[in-house]
Amino acid sequence: MKRFFQHLLLLTRFELADAVRSRRAIVILLLYLAAALLSTNAFVTALQKLETQLGEILQTGSGSPGAMADTLWKSARFRHMIGALIGDRTVAEGLMSVPPIALLYGFLAFFYTPFFVLLTATPRVAGDVWTGAARFVLFRTSRAAWVLGKFFGQAALVLLALALSMAGAWCLARCRLEGMDGAAAARGMALMAGKAWIFSLPFLGLALGLSQLVRSPNVANALGFLAWLGTGALALMAKHFAGDGVRVLWDLVLMLVPQGYQLDLWRMDVGSVATASVFLIALAAAYLAAGFAVFVRRDQ
């Protein structure tokens, strides 16, 4: 067992080193950073235009950029809009304590992180099998350690990418919104980045699970894209059709997709977030194990 964990640590480090050596890490980091910067810049621009228009209507000066954000954030109409967007008014009320720029970052991170994970992680096992590189590694270690090493290496890379995207979005917002509370925004964005990372883990497990089923990285990428669409569609259908009687089966479907736990991650109480995190990690392990059950029986 000690040897297994030693191999796991080495393989995790090797996965990160390989990402840096092949420049995949740079591409992934830039992908997350670009998504965060573009979305944050668009939000700040829209907010400043709104403030200018309100200032003209009310015949008052707009003041420092972002000065009206807190007022808009506390308005009843805006709260109602957030509640409709979240789908739960209680959760929306709890989110009112989060700075608007942090909440925007959270919304976008929850949206693009699963897609980026499935886009970049699905070829990781299939690619090495395709090139034959897997044979040289599996001669020295077990398949379980190799697959887990890839999982933890990719998880660390996603965490680093989210941290970079958060820092970039904060710096941009801090420069353009003079009235922003920098410390509160940083805390809120760090919280949202952490939750987005937890939310990404089952998608990472799904990506590597699918990657173990095929030998071609291109096929793995196609399966990853279909999985992103499929889990989203299943979650929407389950939420729409769930109910009493036989419709209760849709609740079971919701338990089997990561999106079913997203609402609990949005909650601000520790208990709900911890429970959702446990289920999401278990889901990641289940997806990964399902692919491994096929991979362990294959000849490489």
Side-chain angles (χ1 to χ4, degrees), residues 97-136:
S97 61
V98 180
I101 192 66
L103 189 59
L104 169 82
Y105 171 79
F107 276 128
L108 294 167
F110 269 76
F111 174 75
Y112 64 68
T113 300
F115 176 73
F116 287 164
V117 165
L118 287 167
L119 176 68
T120 59
T122 43
R124 292 307 304 136
V125 174
D128 284 357
V129 173
W130 177 266
T131 60
R135 293 178 180 273
F136 297 99

PDB file of all heavy atoms in Angstrom, residues 97-136:
ATOM      1  N   SER A  97     -25.288  38.382   0.240  1.00  0.00           N
ATOM      2  CA  SER A  97     -24.124  38.794   1.036  1.00  0.00           C
ATOM      3  C   SER A  97     -22.831  38.722   0.224  1.00  0.00           C
ATOM      4  O   SER A  97     -21.779  39.171   0.680  1.00  0.00           O
ATOM      5  CB  SER A  97     -23.993  37.894   2.277  1.00  0.00           C
ATOM      6  OG  SER A  97     -23.806  36.535   1.892  1.00  0.00           O
ATOM      7  N   VAL A  98     -22.910  38.146  -0.971  1.00  0.00           N
ATOM      8  CA  VAL A  98     -21.739  38.018  -1.841  1.00  0.00           C
ATOM      9  C   VAL A  98     -21.667  39.222  -2.770  1.00  0.00           C
ATOM     10  O   VAL A  98     -22.671  39.609  -3.367  1.00  0.00           O
ATOM     11  CB  VAL A  98     -21.824  36.721  -2.673  1.00  0.00           C
ATOM     12  CG1 VAL A  98     -20.601  36.584  -3.582  1.00  0.00           C
ATOM     13  CG2 VAL A  98     -21.946  35.510  -1.758  1.00  0.00           C
ATOM     14  N   PRO A  99     -20.511  39.870  -2.905  1.00  0.00           N
ATOM     15  CA  PRO A  99     -20.387  41.006  -3.830  1.00  0.00           C
ATOM     16  C   PRO A  99     -20.802  40.613  -5.240  1.00  0.00           C
ATOM     17  O   PRO A  99     -20.549  39.476  -5.666  1.00  0.00           O
ATOM     18  CB  PRO A  99     -18.893  41.347  -3.759  1.00  0.00           C
ATOM     19  CG  PRO A  99     -18.450  40.847  -2.434  1.00  0.00           C
ATOM     20  CD  PRO A  99     -19.257  39.609  -2.183  1.00  0.00           C
ATOM     21  N   PRO A 100     -21.439  41.520  -5.981  1.00  0.00           N
ATOM     22  CA  PRO A 100     -21.936  41.180  -7.318  1.00  0.00           C
ATOM     23  C   PRO A 100     -20.869  40.676  -8.273  1.00  0.00           C
ATOM     24  O   PRO A 100     -21.113  39.769  -9.060  1.00  0.00           O
ATOM     25  CB  PRO A 100     -22.563  42.492  -7.809  1.00  0.00           C
ATOM     26  CG  PRO A 100     -22.091  43.551  -6.884  1.00  0.00           C
ATOM     27  CD  PRO A 100     -21.811  42.890  -5.592  1.00  0.00           C
ATOM     28  N   ILE A 101     -19.669  41.253  -8.220  1.00  0.00           N
ATOM     29  CA  ILE A 101     -18.617  40.822  -9.130  1.00  0.00           C
ATOM     30  C   ILE A 101     -18.182  39.390  -8.819  1.00  0.00           C
ATOM     31  O   ILE A 101     -17.856  38.602  -9.719  1.00  0.00           O
ATOM     32  CB  ILE A 101     -17.396  41.789  -9.069  1.00  0.00           C
ATOM     33  CG1 ILE A 101     -16.431  41.517 -10.231  1.00  0.00           C
ATOM     34  CG2 ILE A 101     -16.699  41.697  -7.731  1.00  0.00           C
ATOM     35  CD1 ILE A 101     -16.991  41.832 -11.577  1.00  0.00           C
ATOM     36  N   ALA A 102     -18.220  39.010  -7.525  1.00  0.00           N
ATOM     37  CA  ALA A 102     -17.870  37.645  -7.129  1.00  0.00           C
ATOM     38  C   ALA A 102     -18.945  36.660  -7.567  1.00  0.00           C
ATOM     39  O   ALA A 102     -18.646  35.545  -8.004  1.00  0.00           O
ATOM     40  CB  ALA A 102     -17.675  37.574  -5.618  1.00  0.00           C
ATOM     41  N   LEU A 103     -20.194  37.077  -7.452  1.00  0.00           N
ATOM     42  CA  LEU A 103     -21.288  36.208  -7.866  1.00  0.00           C
ATOM     43  C   LEU A 103     -21.267  35.992  -9.377  1.00  0.00           C
ATOM     44  O   LEU A 103     -21.496  34.885  -9.864  1.00  0.00           O
ATOM     45  CB  LEU A 103     -22.629  36.806  -7.436  1.00  0.00           C
ATOM     46  CG  LEU A 103     -23.849  35.904  -7.620  1.00  0.00           C
ATOM     47  CD1 LEU A 103     -23.688  34.615  -6.844  1.00  0.00           C
ATOM     48  CD2 LEU A 103     -25.117  36.619  -7.171  1.00  0.00           C
ATOM     49  N   LEU A 104     -20.968  37.054 -10.115  1.00  0.00           N
ATOM     50  CA  LEU A 104     -20.854  36.917 -11.571  1.00  0.00           C
ATOM     51  C   LEU A 104     -19.745  35.937 -11.921  1.00  0.00           C
ATOM     52  O   LEU A 104     -19.923  35.057 -12.772  1.00  0.00           O
ATOM     53  CB  LEU A 104     -20.551  38.275 -12.201  1.00  0.00           C
ATOM     54  CG  LEU A 104     -20.156  38.175 -13.681  1.00  0.00           C
ATOM     55  CD1 LEU A 104     -21.385  38.071 -14.559  1.00  0.00           C
ATOM     56  CD2 LEU A 104     -19.288  39.340 -14.100  1.00  0.00           C
ATOM     57  N   TYR A 105     -18.608  36.072 -11.253  1.00  0.00           N
ATOM     58  CA  TYR A 105     -17.505  35.149 -11.500  1.00  0.00           C
ATOM     59  C   TYR A 105     -17.934  33.712 -11.201  1.00  0.00           C
ATOM     60  O   TYR A 105     -17.600  32.775 -11.945  1.00  0.00           O
ATOM     61  CB  TYR A 105     -16.296  35.526 -10.649  1.00  0.00           C
ATOM     62  CG  TYR A 105     -15.191  34.492 -10.699  1.00  0.00           C
ATOM     63  CD1 TYR A 105     -14.318  34.441 -11.786  1.00  0.00           C
ATOM     64  CD2 TYR A 105     -15.050  33.549  -9.687  1.00  0.00           C
ATOM     65  CE1 TYR A 105     -13.324  33.477 -11.851  1.00  0.00           C
ATOM     66  CE2 TYR A 105     -14.064  32.583  -9.748  1.00  0.00           C
ATOM     67  CZ  TYR A 105     -13.206  32.551 -10.827  1.00  0.00           C
ATOM     68  OH  TYR A 105     -12.238  31.591 -10.901  1.00  0.00           O
ATOM     69  N   GLY A 106     -18.689  33.528 -10.123  1.00  0.00           N
ATOM     70  CA  GLY A 106     -19.158  32.194  -9.758  1.00  0.00           C
ATOM     71  C   GLY A 106     -20.072  31.600 -10.812  1.00  0.00           C
ATOM     72  O   GLY A 106     -19.917  30.432 -11.200  1.00  0.00           O
ATOM     73  N   PHE A 107     -21.022  32.378 -11.298  1.00  0.00           N
ATOM     74  CA  PHE A 107     -21.939  31.913 -12.340  1.00  0.00           C
ATOM     75  C   PHE A 107     -21.159  31.419 -13.560  1.00  0.00           C
ATOM     76  O   PHE A 107     -21.421  30.334 -14.096  1.00  0.00           O
ATOM     77  CB  PHE A 107     -22.880  33.038 -12.771  1.00  0.00           C
ATOM     78  CG  PHE A 107     -24.092  33.191 -11.893  1.00  0.00           C
ATOM     79  CD1 PHE A 107     -24.426  34.417 -11.351  1.00  0.00           C
ATOM     80  CD2 PHE A 107     -24.912  32.110 -11.617  1.00  0.00           C
ATOM     81  CE1 PHE A 107     -25.536  34.565 -10.539  1.00  0.00           C
ATOM     82  CE2 PHE A 107     -26.032  32.242 -10.811  1.00  0.00           C
ATOM     83  CZ  PHE A 107     -26.346  33.481 -10.268  1.00  0.00           C
ATOM     84  N   LEU A 108     -20.208  32.231 -13.988  1.00  0.00           N
ATOM     85  CA  LEU A 108     -19.464  31.901 -15.202  1.00  0.00           C
ATOM     86  C   LEU A 108     -18.509  30.731 -14.982  1.00  0.00           C
ATOM     87  O   LEU A 108     -18.360  29.879 -15.850  1.00  0.00           O
ATOM     88  CB  LEU A 108     -18.704  33.126 -15.688  1.00  0.00           C
ATOM     89  CG  LEU A 108     -19.617  34.254 -16.166  1.00  0.00           C
ATOM     90  CD1 LEU A 108     -18.839  35.551 -16.323  1.00  0.00           C
ATOM     91  CD2 LEU A 108     -20.288  33.891 -17.488  1.00  0.00           C
ATOM     92  N   ALA A 109     -17.886  30.660 -13.807  1.00  0.00           N
ATOM     93  CA  ALA A 109     -16.978  29.552 -13.511  1.00  0.00           C
ATOM     94  C   ALA A 109     -17.732  28.226 -13.467  1.00  0.00           C
ATOM     95  O   ALA A 109     -17.238  27.201 -13.955  1.00  0.00           O
ATOM     96  CB  ALA A 109     -16.262  29.794 -12.190  1.00  0.00           C
ATOM     97  N   PHE A 110     -18.937  28.246 -12.899  1.00  0.00           N
ATOM     98  CA  PHE A 110     -19.750  27.031 -12.863  1.00  0.00           C
ATOM     99  C   PHE A 110     -20.173  26.611 -14.268  1.00  0.00           C
ATOM    100  O   PHE A 110     -20.398  25.430 -14.525  1.00  0.00           O
ATOM    101  CB  PHE A 110     -20.992  27.255 -11.997  1.00  0.00           C
ATOM    102  CG  PHE A 110     -20.797  26.898 -10.550  1.00  0.00           C
ATOM    103  CD1 PHE A 110     -20.087  27.745  -9.707  1.00  0.00           C
ATOM    104  CD2 PHE A 110     -21.314  25.733 -10.030  1.00  0.00           C
ATOM    105  CE1 PHE A 110     -19.893  27.425  -8.378  1.00  0.00           C
ATOM    106  CE2 PHE A 110     -21.133  25.394  -8.698  1.00  0.00           C
ATOM    107  CZ  PHE A 110     -20.415  26.248  -7.863  1.00  0.00           C
ATOM    108  N   PHE A 111     -20.281  27.579 -15.178  1.00  0.00           N
ATOM    109  CA  PHE A 111     -20.706  27.261 -16.548  1.00  0.00           C
ATOM    110  C   PHE A 111     -19.552  26.736 -17.392  1.00  0.00           C
ATOM    111  O   PHE A 111     -19.659  25.674 -18.022  1.00  0.00           O
ATOM    112  CB  PHE A 111     -21.304  28.502 -17.211  1.00  0.00           C
ATOM    113  CG  PHE A 111     -21.627  28.307 -18.667  1.00  0.00           C
ATOM    114  CD1 PHE A 111     -22.740  27.567 -19.045  1.00  0.00           C
ATOM    115  CD2 PHE A 111     -20.802  28.841 -19.651  1.00  0.00           C
ATOM    116  CE1 PHE A 111     -23.021  27.360 -20.392  1.00  0.00           C
ATOM    117  CE2 PHE A 111     -21.087  28.637 -21.001  1.00  0.00           C
ATOM    118  CZ  PHE A 111     -22.202  27.903 -21.369  1.00  0.00           C
ATOM    119  N   TYR A 112     -18.426  27.462 -17.428  1.00  0.00           N
ATOM    120  CA  TYR A 112     -17.385  27.073 -18.376  1.00  0.00           C
ATOM    121  C   TYR A 112     -16.421  26.022 -17.847  1.00  0.00           C
ATOM    122  O   TYR A 112     -15.791  25.303 -18.635  1.00  0.00           O
ATOM    123  CB  TYR A 112     -16.613  28.293 -18.897  1.00  0.00           C
ATOM    124  CG  TYR A 112     -15.814  29.097 -17.899  1.00  0.00           C
ATOM    125  CD1 TYR A 112     -14.683  28.577 -17.282  1.00  0.00           C
ATOM    126  CD2 TYR A 112     -16.147  30.422 -17.607  1.00  0.00           C
ATOM    127  CE1 TYR A 112     -13.926  29.318 -16.396  1.00  0.00           C
ATOM    128  CE2 TYR A 112     -15.405  31.180 -16.720  1.00  0.00           C
ATOM    129  CZ  TYR A 112     -14.292  30.631 -16.112  1.00  0.00           C
ATOM    130  OH  TYR A 112     -13.550  31.375 -15.233  1.00  0.00           O
ATOM    131  N   THR A 113     -16.285  25.859 -16.529  1.00  0.00           N
ATOM    132  CA  THR A 113     -15.331  24.883 -16.000  1.00  0.00           C
ATOM    133  C   THR A 113     -15.664  23.448 -16.406  1.00  0.00           C
ATOM    134  O   THR A 113     -14.766  22.716 -16.856  1.00  0.00           O
ATOM    135  CB  THR A 113     -15.213  25.009 -14.470  1.00  0.00           C
ATOM    136  OG1 THR A 113     -14.756  26.323 -14.133  1.00  0.00           O
ATOM    137  CG2 THR A 113     -14.225  23.989 -13.923  1.00  0.00           C
ATOM    138  N   PRO A 114     -16.924  22.982 -16.271  1.00  0.00           N
ATOM    139  CA  PRO A 114     -17.219  21.613 -16.730  1.00  0.00           C
ATOM    140  C   PRO A 114     -16.892  21.400 -18.201  1.00  0.00           C
ATOM    141  O   PRO A 114     -16.355  20.349 -18.581  1.00  0.00           O
ATOM    142  CB  PRO A 114     -18.730  21.480 -16.467  1.00  0.00           C
ATOM    143  CG  PRO A 114     -19.007  22.433 -15.369  1.00  0.00           C
ATOM    144  CD  PRO A 114     -18.095  23.588 -15.625  1.00  0.00           C
ATOM    145  N   PHE A 115     -17.202  22.392 -19.035  1.00  0.00           N
ATOM    146  CA  PHE A 115     -16.925  22.267 -20.470  1.00  0.00           C
ATOM    147  C   PHE A 115     -15.421  22.179 -20.724  1.00  0.00           C
ATOM    148  O   PHE A 115     -14.960  21.329 -21.487  1.00  0.00           O
ATOM    149  CB  PHE A 115     -17.520  23.451 -21.232  1.00  0.00           C
ATOM    150  CG  PHE A 115     -17.197  23.445 -22.694  1.00  0.00           C
ATOM    151  CD1 PHE A 115     -17.807  22.545 -23.552  1.00  0.00           C
ATOM    152  CD2 PHE A 115     -16.268  24.343 -23.220  1.00  0.00           C
ATOM    153  CE1 PHE A 115     -17.494  22.533 -24.913  1.00  0.00           C
ATOM    154  CE2 PHE A 115     -15.959  24.336 -24.568  1.00  0.00           C
ATOM    155  CZ  PHE A 115     -16.579  23.432 -25.423  1.00  0.00           C
ATOM    156  N   PHE A 116     -14.650  23.054 -20.076  1.00  0.00           N
ATOM    157  CA  PHE A 116     -13.203  23.037 -20.268  1.00  0.00           C
ATOM    158  C   PHE A 116     -12.588  21.734 -19.755  1.00  0.00           C
ATOM    159  O   PHE A 116     -11.651  21.201 -20.352  1.00  0.00           O
ATOM    160  CB  PHE A 116     -12.564  24.226 -19.549  1.00  0.00           C
ATOM    161  CG  PHE A 116     -12.805  25.549 -20.225  1.00  0.00           C
ATOM    162  CD1 PHE A 116     -12.595  26.747 -19.549  1.00  0.00           C
ATOM    163  CD2 PHE A 116     -13.260  25.615 -21.533  1.00  0.00           C
ATOM    164  CE1 PHE A 116     -12.821  27.973 -20.164  1.00  0.00           C
ATOM    165  CE2 PHE A 116     -13.489  26.832 -22.169  1.00  0.00           C
ATOM    166  CZ  PHE A 116     -13.266  28.007 -21.474  1.00  0.00           C
ATOM    167  N   VAL A 117     -13.110  21.224 -18.638  1.00  0.00           N
ATOM    168  CA  VAL A 117     -12.594  19.969 -18.085  1.00  0.00           C
ATOM    169  C   VAL A 117     -12.826  18.818 -19.056  1.00  0.00           C
ATOM    170  O   VAL A 117     -11.917  18.033 -19.345  1.00  0.00           O
ATOM    171  CB  VAL A 117     -13.259  19.666 -16.724  1.00  0.00           C
ATOM    172  CG1 VAL A 117     -13.019  18.218 -16.305  1.00  0.00           C
ATOM    173  CG2 VAL A 117     -12.714  20.599 -15.649  1.00  0.00           C
ATOM    174  N   LEU A 118     -14.054  18.714 -19.571  1.00  0.00           N
ATOM    175  CA  LEU A 118     -14.361  17.637 -20.510  1.00  0.00           C
ATOM    176  C   LEU A 118     -13.612  17.814 -21.831  1.00  0.00           C
ATOM    177  O   LEU A 118     -13.289  16.836 -22.510  1.00  0.00           O
ATOM    178  CB  LEU A 118     -15.869  17.585 -20.762  1.00  0.00           C
ATOM    179  CG  LEU A 118     -16.688  17.024 -19.595  1.00  0.00           C
ATOM    180  CD1 LEU A 118     -18.173  17.294 -19.784  1.00  0.00           C
ATOM    181  CD2 LEU A 118     -16.441  15.526 -19.445  1.00  0.00           C
ATOM    182  N   LEU A 119     -13.318  19.053 -22.193  1.00  0.00           N
ATOM    183  CA  LEU A 119     -12.586  19.318 -23.426  1.00  0.00           C
ATOM    184  C   LEU A 119     -11.113  18.924 -23.309  1.00  0.00           C
ATOM    185  O   LEU A 119     -10.533  18.357 -24.238  1.00  0.00           O
ATOM    186  CB  LEU A 119     -12.693  20.809 -23.784  1.00  0.00           C
ATOM    187  CG  LEU A 119     -11.913  21.293 -25.008  1.00  0.00           C
ATOM    188  CD1 LEU A 119     -12.517  20.709 -26.282  1.00  0.00           C
ATOM    189  CD2 LEU A 119     -11.893  22.823 -25.069  1.00  0.00           C
ATOM    190  N   THR A 120     -10.503  19.217 -22.164  1.00  0.00           N
ATOM    191  CA  THR A 120      -9.054  19.031 -22.030  1.00  0.00           C
ATOM    192  C   THR A 120      -8.650  17.709 -21.387  1.00  0.00           C
ATOM    193  O   THR A 120      -7.525  17.239 -21.610  1.00  0.00           O
ATOM    194  CB  THR A 120      -8.451  20.182 -21.195  1.00  0.00           C
ATOM    195  OG1 THR A 120      -9.071  20.218 -19.895  1.00  0.00           O
ATOM    196  CG2 THR A 120      -8.690  21.527 -21.884  1.00  0.00           C
ATOM    197  N   ALA A 121      -9.528  17.100 -20.593  1.00  0.00           N
ATOM    198  CA  ALA A 121      -9.135  15.900 -19.845  1.00  0.00           C
ATOM    199  C   ALA A 121      -9.507  14.595 -20.535  1.00  0.00           C
ATOM    200  O   ALA A 121      -8.895  13.558 -20.247  1.00  0.00           O
ATOM    201  CB  ALA A 121      -9.762  15.930 -18.439  1.00  0.00           C
ATOM    202  N   THR A 122     -10.497  14.606 -21.421  1.00  0.00           N
ATOM    203  CA  THR A 122     -10.926  13.345 -22.034  1.00  0.00           C
ATOM    204  C   THR A 122      -9.843  12.642 -22.859  1.00  0.00           C
ATOM    205  O   THR A 122      -9.848  11.408 -22.934  1.00  0.00           O
ATOM    206  CB  THR A 122     -12.179  13.552 -22.919  1.00  0.00           C
ATOM    207  OG1 THR A 122     -12.051  14.745 -23.697  1.00  0.00           O
ATOM    208  CG2 THR A 122     -13.429  13.633 -22.086  1.00  0.00           C
ATOM    209  N   PRO A 123      -8.893  13.361 -23.475  1.00  0.00           N
ATOM    210  CA  PRO A 123      -7.875  12.623 -24.242  1.00  0.00           C
ATOM    211  C   PRO A 123      -6.726  12.073 -23.400  1.00  0.00           C
ATOM    212  O   PRO A 123      -5.840  11.413 -23.954  1.00  0.00           O
ATOM    213  CB  PRO A 123      -7.336  13.682 -25.229  1.00  0.00           C
ATOM    214  CG  PRO A 123      -8.195  14.879 -25.074  1.00  0.00           C
ATOM    215  CD  PRO A 123      -8.779  14.801 -23.713  1.00  0.00           C
ATOM    216  N   ARG A 124      -6.704  12.294 -22.093  1.00  0.00           N
ATOM    217  CA  ARG A 124      -5.503  12.015 -21.320  1.00  0.00           C
ATOM    218  C   ARG A 124      -5.147  10.533 -21.241  1.00  0.00           C
ATOM    219  O   ARG A 124      -3.972  10.162 -21.336  1.00  0.00           O
ATOM    220  CB  ARG A 124      -5.638  12.586 -19.896  1.00  0.00           C
ATOM    221  CG  ARG A 124      -5.666  14.089 -19.818  1.00  0.00           C
ATOM    222  CD  ARG A 124      -4.483  14.726 -20.521  1.00  0.00           C
ATOM    223  NE  ARG A 124      -3.213  14.232 -20.020  1.00  0.00           N
ATOM    224  CZ  ARG A 124      -2.202  13.887 -20.793  1.00  0.00           C
ATOM    225  NH1 ARG A 124      -2.311  13.957 -22.116  1.00  0.00           N
ATOM    226  NH2 ARG A 124      -1.091  13.447 -20.259  1.00  0.00           N
ATOM    227  N   VAL A 125      -6.121   9.655 -21.075  1.00  0.00           N
ATOM    228  CA  VAL A 125      -5.838   8.222 -21.059  1.00  0.00           C
ATOM    229  C   VAL A 125      -5.790   7.678 -22.482  1.00  0.00           C
ATOM    230  O   VAL A 125      -4.852   6.987 -22.866  1.00  0.00           O
ATOM    231  CB  VAL A 125      -6.886   7.460 -20.224  1.00  0.00           C
ATOM    232  CG1 VAL A 125      -6.666   5.949 -20.342  1.00  0.00           C
ATOM    233  CG2 VAL A 125      -6.824   7.885 -18.761  1.00  0.00           C
ATOM    234  N   ALA A 126      -6.808   8.006 -23.265  1.00  0.00           N
ATOM    235  CA  ALA A 126      -6.887   7.502 -24.639  1.00  0.00           C
ATOM    236  C   ALA A 126      -5.685   7.955 -25.468  1.00  0.00           C
ATOM    237  O   ALA A 126      -5.191   7.200 -26.318  1.00  0.00           O
ATOM    238  CB  ALA A 126      -8.184   7.981 -25.288  1.00  0.00           C
ATOM    239  N   GLY A 127      -5.208   9.169 -25.229  1.00  0.00           N
ATOM    240  CA  GLY A 127      -4.068   9.675 -25.984  1.00  0.00           C
ATOM    241  C   GLY A 127      -2.810   8.867 -25.741  1.00  0.00           C
ATOM    242  O   GLY A 127      -2.057   8.558 -26.678  1.00  0.00           O
ATOM    243  N   ASP A 128      -2.555   8.521 -24.476  1.00  0.00           N
ATOM    244  CA  ASP A 128      -1.370   7.728 -24.157  1.00  0.00           C
ATOM    245  C   ASP A 128      -1.495   6.302 -24.670  1.00  0.00           C
ATOM    246  O   ASP A 128      -0.490   5.668 -25.029  1.00  0.00           O
ATOM    247  CB  ASP A 128      -1.140   7.725 -22.645  1.00  0.00           C
ATOM    248  CG  ASP A 128      -0.550   9.037 -22.156  1.00  0.00           C
ATOM    249  OD1 ASP A 128      -0.267   9.914 -22.997  1.00  0.00           O
ATOM    250  OD2 ASP A 128      -0.390   9.204 -20.932  1.00  0.00           O
ATOM    251  N   VAL A 129      -2.710   5.777 -24.673  1.00  0.00           N
ATOM    252  CA  VAL A 129      -2.936   4.450 -25.246  1.00  0.00           C
ATOM    253  C   VAL A 129      -2.715   4.485 -26.758  1.00  0.00           C
ATOM    254  O   VAL A 129      -2.114   3.589 -27.345  1.00  0.00           O
ATOM    255  CB  VAL A 129      -4.358   3.958 -24.915  1.00  0.00           C
ATOM    256  CG1 VAL A 129      -4.669   2.659 -25.660  1.00  0.00           C
ATOM    257  CG2 VAL A 129      -4.516   3.740 -23.411  1.00  0.00           C
ATOM    258  N   TRP A 130      -3.175   5.547 -27.392  1.00  0.00           N
ATOM    259  CA  TRP A 130      -3.070   5.710 -28.851  1.00  0.00           C
ATOM    260  C   TRP A 130      -1.606   5.779 -29.298  1.00  0.00           C
ATOM    261  O   TRP A 130      -1.218   5.161 -30.293  1.00  0.00           O
ATOM    262  CB  TRP A 130      -3.826   6.968 -29.258  1.00  0.00           C
ATOM    263  CG  TRP A 130      -3.752   7.314 -30.715  1.00  0.00           C
ATOM    264  CD1 TRP A 130      -2.874   8.162 -31.317  1.00  0.00           C
ATOM    265  CD2 TRP A 130      -4.594   6.807 -31.756  1.00  0.00           C
ATOM    266  NE1 TRP A 130      -3.113   8.238 -32.674  1.00  0.00           N
ATOM    267  CE2 TRP A 130      -4.168   7.411 -32.976  1.00  0.00           C
ATOM    268  CE3 TRP A 130      -5.665   5.928 -31.791  1.00  0.00           C
ATOM    269  CZ2 TRP A 130      -4.775   7.141 -34.178  1.00  0.00           C
ATOM    270  CZ3 TRP A 130      -6.280   5.662 -33.004  1.00  0.00           C
ATOM    271  CH2 TRP A 130      -5.836   6.267 -34.187  1.00  0.00           C
ATOM    272  N   THR A 131      -0.788   6.526 -28.552  1.00  0.00           N
ATOM    273  CA  THR A 131       0.617   6.700 -28.941  1.00  0.00           C
ATOM    274  C   THR A 131       1.502   5.556 -28.470  1.00  0.00           C
ATOM    275  O   THR A 131       2.651   5.434 -28.910  1.00  0.00           O
ATOM    276  CB  THR A 131       1.173   8.013 -28.357  1.00  0.00           C
ATOM    277  OG1 THR A 131       1.083   7.976 -26.914  1.00  0.00           O
ATOM    278  CG2 THR A 131       0.384   9.209 -28.875  1.00  0.00           C
ATOM    279  N   GLY A 132       0.988   4.745 -27.553  1.00  0.00           N
ATOM    280  CA  GLY A 132       1.785   3.653 -27.015  1.00  0.00           C
ATOM    281  C   GLY A 132       2.575   4.037 -25.785  1.00  0.00           C
ATOM    282  O   GLY A 132       3.284   3.206 -25.204  1.00  0.00           O
ATOM    283  N   ALA A 133       2.481   5.296 -25.351  1.00  0.00           N
ATOM    284  CA  ALA A 133       3.213   5.745 -24.167  1.00  0.00           C
ATOM    285  C   ALA A 133       2.751   5.027 -22.905  1.00  0.00           C
ATOM    286  O   ALA A 133       3.522   4.880 -21.947  1.00  0.00           O
ATOM    287  CB  ALA A 133       3.043   7.259 -23.997  1.00  0.00           C
ATOM    288  N   ALA A 134       1.506   4.577 -22.895  1.00  0.00           N
ATOM    289  CA  ALA A 134       0.972   3.895 -21.716  1.00  0.00           C
ATOM    290  C   ALA A 134       1.738   2.610 -21.408  1.00  0.00           C
ATOM    291  O   ALA A 134       1.892   2.232 -20.240  1.00  0.00           O
ATOM    292  CB  ALA A 134      -0.516   3.591 -21.921  1.00  0.00           C
ATOM    293  N   ARG A 135       2.234   1.932 -22.433  1.00  0.00           N
ATOM    294  CA  ARG A 135       2.947   0.668 -22.219  1.00  0.00           C
ATOM    295  C   ARG A 135       4.190   0.853 -21.360  1.00  0.00           C
ATOM    296  O   ARG A 135       4.491   0.029 -20.493  1.00  0.00           O
ATOM    297  CB  ARG A 135       3.338   0.058 -23.568  1.00  0.00           C
ATOM    298  CG  ARG A 135       2.155  -0.397 -24.415  1.00  0.00           C
ATOM    299  CD  ARG A 135       2.634  -0.946 -25.744  1.00  0.00           C
ATOM    300  NE  ARG A 135       1.527  -1.387 -26.575  1.00  0.00           N
ATOM    301  CZ  ARG A 135       0.980  -2.592 -26.547  1.00  0.00           C
ATOM    302  NH1 ARG A 135       1.458  -3.490 -25.697  1.00  0.00           N
ATOM    303  NH2 ARG A 135      -0.025  -2.909 -27.341  1.00  0.00           N
ATOM    304  N   PHE A 136       4.915   1.939 -21.582  1.00  0.00           N
ATOM    305  CA  PHE A 136       6.155   2.165 -20.837  1.00  0.00           C
ATOM    306  C   PHE A 136       5.883   2.479 -19.363  1.00  0.00           C
ATOM    307  O   PHE A 136       6.659   2.091 -18.494  1.00  0.00           O
ATOM    308  CB  PHE A 136       6.933   3.319 -21.483  1.00  0.00           C
ATOM    309  CG  PHE A 136       7.363   3.036 -22.891  1.00  0.00           C
ATOM    310  CD1 PHE A 136       6.640   3.521 -23.970  1.00  0.00           C
ATOM    311  CD2 PHE A 136       8.487   2.265 -23.155  1.00  0.00           C
ATOM    312  CE1 PHE A 136       7.031   3.258 -25.269  1.00  0.00           C
ATOM    313  CE2 PHE A 136       8.887   1.986 -24.459  1.00  0.00           C
ATOM    314  CZ  PHE A 136       8.148   2.476 -25.525  1.00  0.00           C
TER     315      PHE A 136
END
